[in-house]
Amino acid sequence: MKIIREYVHAHLKANKRSSFFIFTAIMIAAALLCAVGVLTYSQWLNERELTVKDRGDWHARFGEPVTAERLKYIQFHPQVEEIYLESQSQSLQLPGTKRPYLNLVQLNAGTWENTPYQRTLLEGRLPERDGEIVVSKQFFMENPQYTIGDSVILLKGQRVLNGVQITEEAPRLKGESFQAAGEQAFTITGSINVTSVSVYPCYYAYGFIESSAALPEERFTVSVRLRDISETYEVAAELAEQGGLKPKASGEMEIEYNTGLLDLYGVKAPHGERIFLQLSGYALASVLTTGLVMLLFIILIYNAFTVTAAGQIKQLGILKSIGATPGQIRRVVFYEAMALACVAVPIGLLLGYGGMAILIQGASALLEESSNSRLHAPFSWPILIIAGVASFATVGLSAWVPARKLAKLMPIEAIRNPRGWVQTGKVKGFHWAHRFFGIEGELAYNSFAANRKAYRTTLISLTLFITLIIGFRSFAVIWMTDQTLVLAEKEYTLDISIATIEEPDPAMLSQLSALQGIKKQVVYRGAEHTLSWEKQKISREFAAAGGFKDSYFSDSPDSRMPTNLGQQEGKPQIFLELKGLDKASFADYCRQIGVDAEQFMGAAEPKGIIVNRTGGNISSFIHEYNLPETEYLAIAVGERLSFDERSLVQQQSEGKYTLTVGALTEQYPELDEYHYPFDLVVVLPMEAYESIVQDLDAERALDYQTLSYKMGIDREQLAAARQQAEAILTQYLPDEDWSMLSLLDKEESNSRTIHSIELLVNSFAILLACIGIAGAFSTVAANLSARRREFAILRSTGMSPRGVKRMLCLESLFFGLLPGILALPLLIVVCTFMLHNTRIATWADFMKNVPWSYLFLCYLLVLSSVGLAYRISGLRITRENIVEAIQDEAL
Amino acid sequence: MEILHCENLTKAYGSGQTIVKALDEVTLTVKKGEFVAIVGASGSGKSTLLHLLGGVDRPTSGTIRIEDRDISQLNETELALFRRRKVGLIYQFYNLIPTLNVRKNIVLPLLLDGKQPDEQRFTEIVHAMGLETRLGHMPFQLSGGQQQRVAIARSLIYRPALLLADEPTGNLDRKNTDETVELLKLTHKKFNQTVLLITHNEKIALEAERILTIEDGRLISDKAVRQ
């Protein structure tokens, strides 16, 4: 109705200050909703990009290769959008090169378009036709006689050892040979950034294959992308059947799903756990965050409407008294809300999008240094529309309650007592305020207490501002303190890993051991195997604690416990960690546990120390799952134990070995490694370890022989030691054969992560601060304006201008201090929750690092904003003509 | 012809021992075209009576029939329409909408109904109130007397069955008081308007045809005035 619109427009114009406050609140709500949408979308896209980069854009991959002749049943299925083919890997023999083979995998056009390898191209171009290949950069570095564009004719075949084909991942094995099966001409079109350790005898190469040109019996690893991702689990099983795959014993097809990608689209396995409404984690997080932001702003805007409606209530009462219906009154409030929203929401959406784009750019630059993440703020109409609808819904819901209340009000109540509509709290006698601050103090506190509902908007936003800023700062402090304590608990500050199957150069090890500042060091190798055990053959203490319970087994249907404990034919399959320590380290360990090291040296059969302990060494697991911490198995010194080479129940491996128990202990060697509950750790001298693994599967040699060298160096000398170690390693080893991580690297990475998150959270807190401060000005101005009469009466009864100022000053003090007081319990709850989830840090550790400066600055900002608002609005009160103010009821 | 009849009208505030009866079992009848003054001391309940008759407040018990319609039974929307079309209310403090100009304030009840004012009627009222030159002004640009005239004009625009005036001169000087009373009398005569006027000024009350006296919420006298 035209008159309603006219009235609202005129009212908005005449009440610019309160209109501006609501306008700002709506604008910020829209900006925040848009920002949440853009950020979530950006993170989702980033996650999708990383998933695709890491695993590819396929939805399902078949566990067995499919022959070329059956491909058509998959390729032309109406649900299949794209088929990705990877040939079985084959070796190409290279003449006169450092490594003797190329390990070739051929991909079809679709795979090339979506493969992670595509992004690793360094030079040249990707293969586009049959016979073209790209080769790893190592190939060109180690064999400079080859260049991009070269054409070569190579023998195709397989690596074999004793007549048996060797797996493609196997290192160079003694006695291995090449079995040729033909030859083919290849053109090298480019180099890719893929490396392999030097003990691997192949260079990686990727070629191109046309599925139509493949021989009928040629076999491919097939992945598919479907038209409708939500149908993946149903359609993939059907495709596997049509592709000629045989079901497993359980009747199910062996299919691998790109679960990371499917999760992002909210697609879950039919029998798997279902998230609420089947939403993906991102959608759920987005819905929850949007809901929270909406709720927050509904409270904020509702309060803003309540305060401004109080100023308008007399007019609405007049309108009602001359015949405006409840519906018309509701429309006045709604129209006012929507009139403001129509302008504020688009501006807010633009600001939210623009602000988030800038923030994301900033955070992205920081994140790129510490991770692979690359955030960008894409433009998306759906996000803008959803954010817009959510913003209007927020405004509508905020206005709904005041609109209803106003519509129900009797006209005479509204006309007579306009301030009475905003319910004032009960005012008790605040004698303490009188005692400390005199009558002005009592009056100030009474006024503040009576008006606390009007101040609620501002109090909420200022409290949240303090909670968010200090809460995040505390999170950063707690997390960093915890990380520092975790790192400080570590015995070693510099970890070097050397991937080799040969004994490293003793000169290199000697130089490394002579690095400045080393306080302690350990050199060891490790292998993971299995011990098949009897359920009853356990220690008395463990039996008393209940022995092997069903929930301890990782394959038990209701187990959520992080263990490596398997089960086969009713027998526990214990995960074994075999640790071979160098002579000095082993002697040191023996000394610690009070065992003679000599008895382990030169024994006819390998002899080891069993760490016979149930709970592992991860204290958070022990407490969280209430694990027993007792002696583990019933083993005696001198007993011979037989181990299986496989480390997982489902692994196929025939390797077995026996070991004599030389000593039993419950103390783990100091390796800075986490040992899971119910794992069994066996510690051996290096020579005994070598004698065991040399008889095991040669193809796992690299796993067995990778050498860990850990050093404990003081922080002050760490940077220099790191540099020296790098120089030594580079001198003796190719870059791809070693890696190094120091305490400083970990701390740097932690700090960068915190910094990039801080940027986003602080921006959110600043937005809240803006609302809080704008709210403080508006609420205080509106409130003091409505109380002109009250102040005039006080002045007419003899209160001096100084007294009025003092009263206002005290009122601002109460108002400014309350958010800080309210935020404290919230912060304590938040910090307690955070500290509950840390590994080591406690309240005592946190108290040493409380961010006092942030706390002080936040409180100062809040106090000064509120104080300034009172100061500016109070000037008018003290200068006003008393009679005019008392009689100002004309309109 | 009877235009208003209320019976056993009671308005109470509070409950239990703290109950206060602002109006206590008031029964009253007003005929069409009558000019009635209601007098009484401060707090006697005269304004409460007027507010109940005007439908801006609800009685605790009793009935109010205006033009044979019991307004105490109306729902919120029906009551609003009743106020808009059947009652003209004039307050001591004018109660104009500060953000609308004089013309809009006057025709507001019609605009709320989505109707355009009858220009002849509008001109007639504006002329009678002497507001021809003030139509584009905002309320704050007018004197108290002028604002009250706008309020009277607004109350007349819908040809209400009842014109209810609650101390309309309480906030005015003598000159404006005389003018306002004259305008009410003029309205009464010219438009045969039924008027109920609340005042504690005996001189003004004597301008009416009938004077009702209220004391402690009860109607204690009902006298006709000789003109």
Side-chain angles (χ1 to χ4, degrees):
Chain A
M1 191 175 286
K2 204 178 158 206
I3 186 63
I4 302 284
R5 283 202 299 273
E6 277 184 35
Y7 167 73
V8 169
H9 287 160
H11 176 76
L12 290 175
K13 267 190 194 171
N15 295 277
K16 287 193 187 86
R17 202 193 305 231
S18 56
S19 304
F20 177 73
F21 175 52
I22 300 178
F23 180 89
T24 313
I26 296 173
M27 194 175 70
I28 295 174
L32 216 53
L33 286 166
C34 183
V36 167
V38 172
L39 180 66
T40 314
Y41 185 49
S42 167
Q43 282 179 322
W44 184 87
L45 280 181
N46 175 53
E47 197 63 33
R48 193 189 178 285
E49 199 176 298
L50 287 176
T51 309
V52 169
K53 207 191 251 183
D54 186 39
R55 302 205 63 197
D57 206 4
W58 51 274
H59 298 161
R61 175 176 289 163
F62 304 115
E64 281 175 43
V66 178
T67 55
E69 63 181 343
R70 294 203 71 93
L71 279 179
K72 56 180 180 283
Y73 299 112
I74 299 172
Q75 197 166 7
F76 301 114
H77 189 283
Q79 270 280 19
V80 175
E81 188 177 66
E82 183 76 70
I83 184 166
Y84 304 119
L85 303 179
E86 272 188 38
S87 72
Q88 302 301 289
S89 73
Q90 57 183 323
S91 300
L92 305 175
Q93 196 172 37
L94 289 165
T97 49
K98 193 171 175 190
R99 300 185 195 192
Y101 311 113
L102 282 180
N103 184 64
L104 177 69
V105 174
Q106 289 170 296
L107 317 172
N108 72 339
T111 315
W112 269 118
E113 273 169 34
N114 290 288
T115 185
Y117 310 123
Q118 187 200 54
R119 295 174 192 90
T120 61
L121 183 74
L122 293 171
E123 227 183 308
R125 64 168 176 82
L126 296 172
E128 287 165 359
R129 55 186 71 86
D130 205 12
E132 289 185 344
I133 54 171
V134 282
V135 187
S136 83
K137 64 176 181 185
Q138 278 175 320
F139 172 75
F140 296 103
M141 283 161 66
E142 293 177 6
N143 308 288
Q145 69 271 29
Y146 286 99
T147 53
I148 292 170
D150 285 355
S151 291
V152 285
I153 296 173
L154 300 172
L155 284 174
K156 292 198 290 187
Q158 299 297 343
R159 292 163 59 200
V160 287
L161 179 67
N162 304 327
V164 180
Q165 188 181 329
I166 302 171
T167 59
E168 55 191 284
E169 300 91 8
R172 190 195 309 253
L173 303 178
K174 262 186 200 162
E176 75 166 68
S177 60
F178 182 73
Q179 200 171 64
E183 61 175 24
Q184 192 181 341
F186 294 99
T187 305
I188 303 171
T189 61
S191 105
I192 52 172
N193 191 12
V194 178
T195 57
S196 54
V197 294
S198 61
V199 294
Y200 186 58
C202 309
Y203 301 106
Y204 288 117
Y206 295 92
F208 186 91
I209 192 158
E210 201 74 69
S211 59
S212 55
L215 298 169
E217 68 278 8
E218 217 168 323
R219 284 145 55 90
F220 294 95
T221 301
V222 178
S223 316
V224 287
R225 194 174 74 222
L226 305 175
R227 291 185 203 284
D228 182 357
I229 193 170
S230 65
E231 300 282 315
T232 301
Y233 286 94
E234 293 77 15
V235 175
E238 189 189 325
L239 289 173
E241 206 180 324
Q242 293 184 8
L245 268 71
K246 296 201 170 52
K248 292 188 283 186
S250 62
E252 285 178 6
M253 291 291 183
E254 201 175 318
I255 302 168
E256 183 190 352
Y257 294 96
N258 195 350
T259 45
L261 190 64
L262 296 179
D263 275 352
L264 286 170
Y265 285 92
V267 181
K268 298 279 158 200
H271 308 299
E273 274 182 45
R274 279 166 189 256
I275 301 177
F276 172 63
L277 286 176
Q278 269 208 314
L279 291 170
S280 74
Y282 277 91
L284 193 65
S286 168
V287 167
L288 288 177
T289 317
T290 306
L292 268 175
V293 172
M294 280 178 72
L295 187 69
L296 174 70
F297 277 91
I298 285 169
I299 298 169
L300 291 176
I301 301 172
Y302 159 71
N303 276 280
F305 273 122
T306 306
V307 171
T308 55
Q312 193 187 355
I313 189 141
K314 186 167 177 178
Q315 291 174 36
L316 295 177
I318 297 166
L319 276 176
K320 276 198 98 174
S321 77
I322 59 169
T325 59
Q328 284 175 321
I329 297 296
R330 275 197 297 272
R331 274 204 292 283
V332 166
V333 181
F334 268 115
Y335 190 78
E336 188 175 321
M338 289 306 155
L340 288 168
C342 279
V343 185
V345 169
I347 296 175
L349 293 179
L350 273 177
L351 285 176
Y353 180 79
M356 194 38 75
I358 294 167
L359 270 175
I360 283 176
Q361 214 173 3
S364 185
L366 286 168
L367 276 172
E368 265 180 68
E369 290 172 25
S370 57
S371 69
N372 289 329
S373 298
R374 210 166 57 82
L375 294 172
H376 30 223
F379 182 81
S380 158
W381 277 113
I383 296 288
L384 276 189
I385 290 167
I386 292 169
V389 170
S391 306
F392 276 105
T394 304
V395 176
L397 287 168
S398 315
W400 185 65
V401 177
R404 262 189 78 221
K405 274 189 181 175
L406 285 167
K408 276 185 181 171
L409 212 59
M410 286 308 290
I412 198 63
E413 290 171 38
I415 294 169
R416 269 185 186 160
N417 183 24
R419 292 199 67 218
W421 181 68
V422 177
Q423 291 169 1
T424 51
K426 282 182 185 174
V427 181
K428 300 171 194 162
F430 293 100
H431 302 299
W432 62 268
H434 193 149
R435 195 178 310 149
F436 291 113
F437 305 109
I439 184 64
E440 290 96 341
E442 187 173 347
L443 284 168
Y445 197 84
N446 284 352
S447 298
F448 176 64
N451 287 294
R452 62 176 181 266
K453 287 206 173 179
Y455 287 149
R456 193 162 49 188
T457 323
T458 315
L459 282 175
I460 291 172
S461 47
L462 290 176
T463 306
L464 285 176
F465 157 68
I466 294 176
T467 312
L468 258 179
I469 284 266
I470 305 300
F472 185 74
R473 203 57 235 164
S474 303
F475 163 72
V477 166
I478 289 170
W479 193 70
M480 289 297 275
T481 306
D482 193 49
Q483 291 298 314
T484 310
L485 288 171
V486 167
L487 293 178
E489 236 193 16
K490 290 205 173 286
E491 301 286 336
Y492 308 103
T493 50
L494 189 68
D495 298 355
I496 296 167
S497 173
I498 299 167
T500 174
I501 54 170
E502 286 150 15
E503 207 45 49
D505 193 326
M508 178 186 78
L509 295 178
S510 154
Q511 283 179 39
L512 285 174
S513 68
L515 283 176
Q516 271 191 340
I518 295 183
K519 292 170 101 177
K520 61 190 296 186
Q521 53 188 318
V522 65
V523 182
Y524 68 97
R525 290 192 168 100
E528 290 162 352
H529 298 142
T530 300
L531 172 66
S532 185
W533 202 248
E534 297 292 334
K535 248 183 185 171
Q536 311 307 326
K537 212 179 159 195
I538 51 175
S539 73
R540 248 183 238 163
E541 294 92 328
F542 186 33
F548 286 109
K549 293 178 186 167
D550 279 349
S551 59
Y552 296 164
F553 294 95
S554 60
D555 50 4
S556 156
D558 54 357
S559 170
R560 285 177 183 268
M561 217 174 270
T563 71
N564 297 313
L565 195 61
Q567 207 167 185
Q568 198 173 34
E569 293 161 7
K571 283 183 166 185
Q573 303 296 304
I574 298 168
F575 187 78
L576 177 83
E577 297 179 47
L578 198 66
K579 303 289 177 193
L581 272 60
D582 75 332
K583 202 172 175 185
S585 309
F586 186 75
D588 196 32
Y589 176 55
C590 286
R591 208 169 22 256
Q592 285 173 30
I593 61 170
V595 170
D596 177 19
E598 284 305 314
Q599 61 163 310
F600 296 91
M601 308 294 177
E605 187 173 80
K607 215 172 180 187
I609 302 166
I610 311 280
V611 184
N612 196 22
R613 178 171 164 168
T614 50
N617 68 346
I618 308 170
S619 53
S620 56
F621 285 180
I622 295 168
H623 296 132
E624 194 173 342
Y625 300 104
N626 199 21
L627 293 167
E629 275 195 286
T630 63
E631 195 183 345
Y632 190 9
L633 306 176
I635 306 176
V637 172
E639 193 174 337
R640 292 180 74 223
L641 301 177
S642 175
F643 298 97
D644 296 325
E645 187 180 2
R646 63 194 166 92
S647 53
L648 296 168
V649 173
Q650 58 271 32
Q651 237 171 28
Q652 301 295 321
S653 172
E654 297 300 314
K656 281 185 186 304
Y657 61 94
T658 51
L659 186 142
T660 307
V661 179
L664 289 161
T665 178
E666 288 193 30
Q667 185 179 335
Y668 289 107
E670 289 172 353
L671 303 178
D672 272 355
E673 284 192 357
Y674 289 116
H675 304 292
Y676 274 63
F678 309 111
D679 283 2
L680 198 68
V681 176
V682 178
V683 186
L684 309 157
M686 190 69 89
E687 61 183 56
Y689 175 89
E690 291 295 343
S691 72
I692 290 174
V693 297
Q694 72 182 2
D695 295 333
L696 298 178
D697 187 357
E699 294 181 21
R700 288 178 69 185
L702 194 58
D703 295 341
Y704 295 149
Q705 298 299 338
T706 295
L707 192 77
S708 293
Y709 198 142
K710 294 184 175 176
M711 304 170 188
I713 301 171
D714 281 343
R715 178 187 293 273
E716 296 74 35
Q717 291 169 294
L718 197 53
R722 185 171 58 175
Q723 218 172 355
Q724 285 170 21
E726 197 176 328
I728 296 166
L729 290 162
T730 314
Q731 186 189 340
Y732 287 94
L733 297 169
D735 284 352
E736 61 271 16
D737 282 6
W738 61 270
S739 63
M740 184 166 59
L741 194 64
S742 78
L743 175 80
L744 300 177
D745 301 320
K746 289 172 195 164
E747 284 180 351
E748 229 169 82
S749 160
N750 290 346
S751 171
R752 270 202 300 266
T753 309
I754 280 286
H755 193 49
S756 50
I757 303 171
E758 198 172 30
L759 193 74
L760 294 173
V761 175
N762 281 356
S763 312
F764 184 67
I766 288 166
L767 274 178
L768 276 173
C770 289
I771 304 177
I773 291 165
F777 273 89
S778 169
T779 318
V780 169
N783 188 271
L784 291 188
S785 172
R787 288 164 57 201
R788 286 167 63 211
R789 232 174 145 228
E790 175 190 331
F791 283 102
I793 292 165
L794 285 171
R795 287 168 63 203
S796 73
T797 55
M799 185 181 268
S800 66
R802 205 178 152 184
V804 173
K805 275 183 193 162
R806 188 173 145 79
M807 183 179 158
L808 289 174
C809 183
L810 287 168
E811 207 175 308
S812 76
L813 196 69
F814 297 138
F815 186 8
L817 282 176
L818 195 59
I821 293 167
L822 292 175
L824 271 181
L826 283 176
L827 283 168
I828 290 170
V829 171
V830 168
C831 291
T832 308
F833 176 74
M834 288 192 262
L835 284 162
H836 181 71
N837 287 291
T838 54
R839 275 190 279 187
I840 300 177
T842 60
W843 264 106
D845 300 313
F846 175 56
M847 287 311 287
K848 287 180 210 156
N849 298 294
V850 173
W852 294 114
S853 55
Y854 271 76
L855 201 65
F856 177 73
L857 275 174
C858 275
Y859 277 38
L860 192 71
L861 181 71
V862 169
L863 261 179
S864 51
S865 310
V866 173
L868 196 67
Y870 266 94
R871 172 101 187 122
I872 293 170
S873 307
L875 278 177
R876 193 177 154 205
I877 300 279
T878 49
R879 287 177 186 164
E880 198 162 40
N881 182 291
I882 294 175
V883 178
E884 275 178 17
I886 288 177
Q887 289 182 341
D888 187 23
E889 293 227 6
L891 294 176
Chain B
M1 184 193 162
E2 197 177 278
I3 198 161
L4 162 73
H5 176 76
C6 63
E7 204 159 330
N8 300 327
L9 203 56
T10 301
K11 177 73 182 177
Y13 297 102
S15 59
Q17 289 188 329
T18 58
I19 195 162
V20 175
K21 283 190 174 173
L23 265 192
D24 192 3
E25 305 276 333
V26 171
T27 298
L28 166 73
T29 303
V30 175
K31 287 182 183 152
K32 184 170 170 53
E34 262 191 311
F35 190 146
V36 182
I38 303 171
V39 295
S42 223
S44 58
K46 52 188 191 301
S47 287
T48 306
L49 174 63
L50 199 85
H51 293 144
L52 295 179
L53 298 180
V56 291
D57 203 356
R58 285 190 183 274
T60 309
S61 63
T63 56
I64 305 164
R65 301 190 74 83
I66 291 171
E67 288 188 331
D68 275 339
R69 195 166 183 204
D70 186 354
I71 66 163
S72 53
Q73 301 298 316
L74 300 180
N75 67 26
E76 273 300 312
T77 304
E78 289 166 340
L79 200 60
L81 294 175
F82 161 78
R83 285 195 297 266
R84 187 187 297 171
R85 295 166 188 170
K86 297 292 175 192
V87 176
L89 268 163
I90 306 163
Y91 300 91
Q92 181 179 351
F93 293 113
Y94 332 129
N95 286 341
L96 302 179
I97 300 294
T99 52
L100 298 178
N101 65 20
V102 168
R103 183 188 162 85
K104 290 270 165 64
N105 260 293
I106 294 172
V107 297
L108 194 53
L110 287 166
L111 296 177
L112 285 171
D113 239 350
K115 289 180 180 168
Q116 286 303 313
D118 171 352
E119 278 305 318
Q120 196 186 337
R121 166 92 177 161
F122 175 73
T123 313
E124 199 178 355
I125 292 172
V126 167
H127 181 72
M129 299 297 141
L131 292 166
E132 299 95 326
T133 58
R134 295 283 184 270
L135 293 178
H137 286 59
M138 299 304 279
F140 70 89
Q141 294 170 310
L142 306 180
S143 70
Q146 285 169 332
Q147 287 189 53
Q148 194 59 294
R149 277 188 268 154
V150 176
I152 297 171
R154 182 180 67 189
S155 69
L156 293 170
I157 196 72
Y158 224 120
R159 299 178 197 275
L162 272 177
L163 186 65
L164 304 171
D166 186 4
E167 304 249 21
T169 59
N171 203 32
L172 299 176
D173 58 20
R174 188 179 175 148
K175 183 173 166 279
N176 277 310
T177 297
D178 291 346
E179 277 179 19
T180 303
V181 173
E182 280 311 309
L183 281 172
L184 288 173
K185 281 169 72 181
L186 177 75
T187 306
H188 166 60
K189 278 184 187 155
K190 193 169 179 183
F191 304 115
N192 192 29
Q193 183 68 56
T194 312
V195 179
L196 258 79
L197 166 73
I198 283 183
T199 182
H200 54 256
N201 184 327
E202 274 191 28
K203 196 182 153 210
I204 294 172
L206 287 169
E207 300 289 339
E209 297 164 345
R210 187 178 157 200
I211 299 176
L212 304 174
T213 309
I214 292 189
E215 197 177 289
D216 294 334
R218 288 173 176 275
L219 193 60
I220 56 162
S221 83
D222 183 351
K223 289 179 188 165
V225 180
R226 266 188 213 161
Q227 298 291 320

Coordinates of all heavy atoms in Angstrom, one line a residue, chain B residues 5-28:
Chain B
H5 N -24.0 2.9 23.2 CA -24.6 2.3 24.4 C -23.6 1.4 25.0 O -23.2 0.4 24.4 CB -25.9 1.6 24.1 CG -26.5 1.0 25.4 ND1 -27.1 1.7 26.3 CD2 -26.5 -0.3 25.8 CE1 -27.5 0.9 27.3 NE2 -27.1 -0.3 27.0
C6 N -23.2 1.8 26.2 CA -22.3 0.9 26.9 C -22.9 0.5 28.3 O -23.6 1.2 28.9 CB -20.9 1.4 27.1 SG -20.8 2.9 28.1
E7 N -22.6 -0.8 28.6 CA -23.3 -1.3 29.8 C -22.2 -2.0 30.7 O -21.4 -2.8 30.2 CB -24.3 -2.3 29.4 CG -25.4 -2.5 30.4 CD -26.7 -3.0 29.8 OE1 -26.9 -2.8 28.6 OE2 -27.4 -3.7 30.5
N8 N -22.3 -1.7 32.0 CA -21.5 -2.3 33.0 C -20.0 -2.3 32.6 O -19.3 -3.3 32.8 CB -21.9 -3.7 33.3 CG -23.3 -3.7 33.8 OD1 -23.8 -2.8 34.5 ND2 -24.1 -4.8 33.5
L9 N -19.6 -1.2 32.0 CA -18.2 -1.2 31.5 C -17.2 -1.1 32.7 O -17.3 -0.2 33.5 CB -18.1 0.0 30.6 CG -17.0 0.0 29.6 CD1 -17.1 -1.2 28.7 CD2 -17.1 1.3 28.7
T10 N -16.3 -2.0 32.7 CA -15.3 -2.1 33.8 C -13.9 -2.2 33.2 O -13.7 -3.0 32.2 CB -15.5 -3.3 34.7 OG1 -16.8 -3.1 35.3 CG2 -14.5 -3.3 35.8
K11 N -12.9 -1.5 33.7 CA -11.5 -1.7 33.3 C -10.7 -1.7 34.6 O -10.7 -0.8 35.4 CB -11.1 -0.5 32.4 CG -9.6 -0.5 32.0 CD -9.4 -1.6 31.0 CE -7.9 -1.7 30.6 NZ -7.6 -2.8 29.6
A12 N -10.0 -2.9 34.7 CA -9.2 -3.0 36.0 C -7.8 -3.3 35.6 O -7.5 -3.9 34.5 CB -9.8 -4.2 36.7
Y13 N -6.9 -2.8 36.4 CA -5.4 -3.1 36.2 C -4.9 -3.9 37.4 O -5.4 -3.7 38.5 CB -4.7 -1.8 36.1 CG -5.1 -0.9 34.9 CD1 -5.9 0.2 35.1 CD2 -4.6 -1.2 33.7 CE1 -6.3 1.0 34.0 CE2 -4.9 -0.5 32.6 CZ -5.8 0.6 32.7 OH -6.1 1.4 31.6
G14 N -4.0 -4.8 37.1 CA -3.4 -5.6 38.2 C -4.3 -6.7 38.6 O -5.3 -7.0 37.9
S15 N -3.9 -7.5 39.6 CA -4.7 -8.6 40.0 C -4.6 -8.8 41.5 O -3.8 -8.3 42.2 CB -4.3 -9.9 39.2 OG -2.9 -10.1 39.6
G16 N -5.5 -9.7 42.0 CA -5.5 -10.0 43.4 C -5.7 -8.8 44.3 O -6.6 -8.0 44.0
Q17 N -4.8 -8.6 45.3 CA -5.0 -7.5 46.2 C -4.6 -6.2 45.6 O -5.0 -5.1 46.1 CB -4.2 -7.8 47.5 CG -4.8 -9.0 48.3 CD -4.1 -9.1 49.6 OE1 -2.9 -8.8 49.8 NE2 -4.8 -9.5 50.6
T18 N -3.8 -6.2 44.6 CA -3.3 -5.0 44.0 C -4.2 -4.5 42.9 O -3.8 -3.6 42.2 CB -1.9 -5.1 43.5 OG1 -1.9 -6.2 42.5 CG2 -0.9 -5.5 44.6
I19 N -5.4 -5.1 42.7 CA -6.3 -4.7 41.6 C -6.7 -3.2 41.8 O -7.1 -2.8 42.9 CB -7.4 -5.7 41.5 CG1 -8.1 -5.5 40.1 CG2 -8.5 -5.5 42.6 CD1 -9.0 -6.7 39.7
V20 N -6.7 -2.5 40.6 CA -7.2 -1.1 40.6 C -8.2 -1.0 39.6 O -8.0 -1.4 38.4 CB -6.0 -0.1 40.4 CG1 -6.5 1.3 40.2 CG2 -5.0 -0.2 41.4
K21 N -9.4 -0.5 39.9 CA -10.5 -0.4 38.9 C -10.5 1.1 38.4 O -10.8 2.0 39.1 CB -11.8 -0.7 39.6 CG -12.0 -2.2 39.7 CD -13.4 -2.6 40.1 CE -13.6 -4.1 40.1 NZ -14.9 -4.5 40.6
A22 N -10.1 1.2 37.2 CA -10.1 2.6 36.6 C -11.5 3.0 36.2 O -11.9 4.2 36.2 CB -9.1 2.6 35.4
L23 N -12.3 2.0 35.8 CA -13.7 2.2 35.5 C -14.5 1.1 36.1 O -14.1 -0.1 36.1 CB -13.9 2.1 34.0 CG -13.9 3.4 33.1 CD1 -14.4 3.0 31.7 CD2 -14.7 4.5 33.7
D24 N -15.6 1.5 36.7 CA -16.3 0.5 37.5 C -17.8 0.5 37.2 O -18.6 1.4 37.5 CB -16.1 0.8 39.0 CG -16.5 -0.3 39.9 OD1 -16.9 -1.3 39.4 OD2 -16.5 -0.1 41.2
E25 N -18.2 -0.5 36.4 CA -19.6 -0.7 36.0 C -20.3 0.5 35.5 O -21.3 0.9 35.9 CB -20.4 -1.2 37.3 CG -19.8 -2.4 38.0 CD -20.3 -3.7 37.3 OE1 -21.4 -3.7 36.8 OE2 -19.5 -4.7 37.4
V26 N -19.7 1.1 34.5 CA -20.3 2.3 33.9 C -21.3 2.0 32.8 O -21.0 1.1 31.9 CB -19.2 3.2 33.3 CG1 -19.8 4.4 32.5 CG2 -18.3 3.8 34.4
T27 N -22.5 2.5 32.9 CA -23.5 2.3 31.9 C -23.9 3.7 31.3 O -24.1 4.6 32.1 CB -24.7 1.6 32.5 OG1 -24.3 0.3 33.0 CG2 -25.8 1.4 31.4
L28 N -23.9 3.8 30.0 CA -24.0 5.1 29.4 C -24.7 5.0 28.0 O -24.4 4.0 27.3 CB -22.6 5.7 29.3 CG -22.3 6.9 28.4 CD1 -22.9 8.1 29.1 CD2 -20.8 7.0 28.2

